[in-house]
Amino acid sequence: MTASFPAVRARRLRAAPAWRRLTRETRLDAGQLVLPMFVREGAEAAIPIGSMPGVVQHSLETLKAELHRAAAAGIGGVMLFGVPEHKDAAGSGATAADGILNVATEIAAAEVGGDLVVQTDLCLDEFTDHGHCGVLDEAGRVDNDATLERYRDMALAQAASGSQLLGLSGMMDGQTAVVRAALDDAGYGDVALLAYAAKYASAFYGPFREAVQSSLQGDRRTYQLDPANRREGAREVALDVAEGADIVMVKPAMSYLDVLADAAATSPVPVWAYQVSGEYAMIEAAAAHGWIDRERAIDESLVGIVRAGADAVLTYWAIEVAERIARA
Ligand code: PBG
């Protein structure tokens, strides 16, 4: 073998930790992590979620404590979900000023609104007795335009409670435009919109259904995207941008990195990704069996999502990872 072979030696830059640190292309920052949080009406203590070890349904008291932990960890924000005691066909709890999500939002805005971006899930599924993201027509189908009226009222209730960023996760046509117009008319021009633009009908939402005690029978395939469709994801992103979304989201994250990369390449607004409950549960479960290195798997999953193009990531590990970054 001649001394000069091979001429190209890519391993030089991997030879030692200092080299690897210096040549690293993607870095996680605590400020780009958002923590989803569940708040349960009537709860007197935190209630564990079996399929999401380490994640709980908060009481209003434990919510406060966790909000301050989140702020101290330096993450970017929190996304609040409500778990109401009573559900009905219209999802009345979503728009009531004393509904659990609106009450929790007021608390979050007051406690940490200056340090974190306080965000709220704008969708009816936690509040409807049938579990769908919208209201139903007489034939039992999800009625797009009747749902938009509910979303408009929900947006106003959330803005009044102090939400700074509304997470439009219902996948109704026209939802971003309708909510933007309603907020502007009511003087909430500063409230921003996060459009779950490309949200797929995914099996990876399974543990979330336990987390919010969903009453859904059937599935959401008439409104969420078919997992097979990449072009359609790009179309939904473009529609939400045109309707006035301030940020667009791809969800889930790990099985949709191509959709995420497409959005990152074309979107004029920030692109976020949601590492959903099933993605969390899979890593926790495998780690609990000793089958993977838990911390490395978590960090690798997140760096992969950011490498694919996410500007920020919703993840149930937000505080843990932020604290790890701070120690590194
Ligand atoms: C709908 C909503 C869902 C999730 C976030 N918002 C559930 C669904 O669409 O079925 C899932 C989040 C997760 O799985 O972590 N309000």
Side-chain angles (χ1 to χ4, degrees):
M1 200 192 303
T2 62
S4 62
F5 181 84
V8 178
R9 293 185 181 274
R11 289 181 54 195
R12 272 183 206 118
L13 304 188
R14 300 172 207 146
W19 271 116
R20 295 194 288 273
R21 192 173 64 228
L22 185 60
T23 56
R24 190 156 297 144
E25 298 177 33
T26 307
R27 276 170 228 278
L28 287 179
D29 184 272
Q32 73 189 150
L33 303 176
V34 175
L35 178 69
M37 304 179 79
F38 304 104
V39 191
R40 176 158 167 184
E41 189 171 23
E44 305 206 329
I47 301 168
I49 299 164
S51 53
M52 300 179 73
V55 180
V56 301
Q57 295 175 329
H58 282 288
S59 70
L60 294 175
E61 281 311 310
T62 67
L63 169 71
K64 274 185 209 167
E66 190 80 339
L67 287 168
H68 287 288
R69 264 190 76 210
I75 67 170
V78 290
M79 171 64 76
L80 302 176
F81 293 90
V83 184
E85 255 171 341
H86 305 288
K87 304 182 185 195
D88 59 27
S92 307
T95 45
D98 63 352
I100 183 63
L101 178 53
N102 297 321
V103 170
T105 303
E106 268 178 49
I107 291 173
E111 298 281 328
V112 295
D115 300 318
L116 299 175
V117 177
V118 173
Q119 314 169 30
T120 43
D121 186 54
L122 201 165
C123 190
L124 285 173
D125 66 309
E126 290 100 49
F127 298 94
T128 51
D129 52 11
H130 46 73
H132 275 293
C133 294
V135 292
L136 306 183
D137 66 15
E138 278 163 17
R141 294 170 302 209
V142 174
D143 184 333
N144 193 88
D145 296 9
T147 300
L148 294 181
E149 297 191 16
R150 298 290 297 133
Y151 285 1
R152 195 176 52 202
D153 292 348
M154 200 173 175
L156 295 174
Q158 293 185 351
S161 305
S163 180
Q164 300 164 0
L165 178 59
L166 310 187
L168 290 154
S169 67
M171 289 302 285
M172 294 300 124
D173 288 332
Q175 61 187 15
T176 302
V178 161
V179 165
R180 182 71 270 158
L183 291 171
D184 290 349
D185 284 349
Y188 293 118
D190 292 341
V191 174
L193 299 184
L194 165 63
Y196 287 41
K199 178 172 178 182
Y200 288 82
S202 174
F204 295 109
Y205 305 147
F208 175 92
R209 305 267 164 92
E210 181 193 347
V212 300
Q213 293 164 293
S214 171
S215 27
L216 181 70
Q217 305 284 326
D219 59 58
R220 307 196 196 287
R221 290 181 214 186
T222 68
Y223 42 106
Q224 298 179 347
L225 297 176
D226 185 324
N229 293 358
R230 177 173 182 170
R231 193 193 336 268
E232 195 181 4
R235 181 188 192 207
E236 287 281 4
V237 167
L239 282 169
D240 276 311
V241 168
E243 287 182 32
D246 297 286
I247 301 164
V248 290
M249 175 110 88
V250 174
K251 176 184 179 185
M254 291 165 69
S255 297
Y256 298 86
L257 297 180
D258 54 339
V259 179
L260 178 59
D262 288 349
T266 57
S267 171
V269 300
V271 178
W272 292 9
Y274 196 143
Q275 185 180 49
V276 302
S277 56
E279 301 179 69
Y280 176 91
M282 285 192 299
I283 291 178
E284 289 289 351
H289 278 87
W291 293 340
I292 53 174
D293 178 325
R294 181 178 173 281
E295 292 190 2
R296 284 189 59 201
I298 291 169
D299 293 352
E300 183 177 332
S301 71
L302 284 165
V303 89
I305 293 165
V306 172
R307 190 196 62 234
D311 298 300
V313 187
L314 275 74
T315 174
Y316 299 96
W317 290 301
I319 293 178
E320 173 183 329
V321 172
E323 290 176 348
R324 187 149 58 241
I325 292 169
R327 280 197 307 271

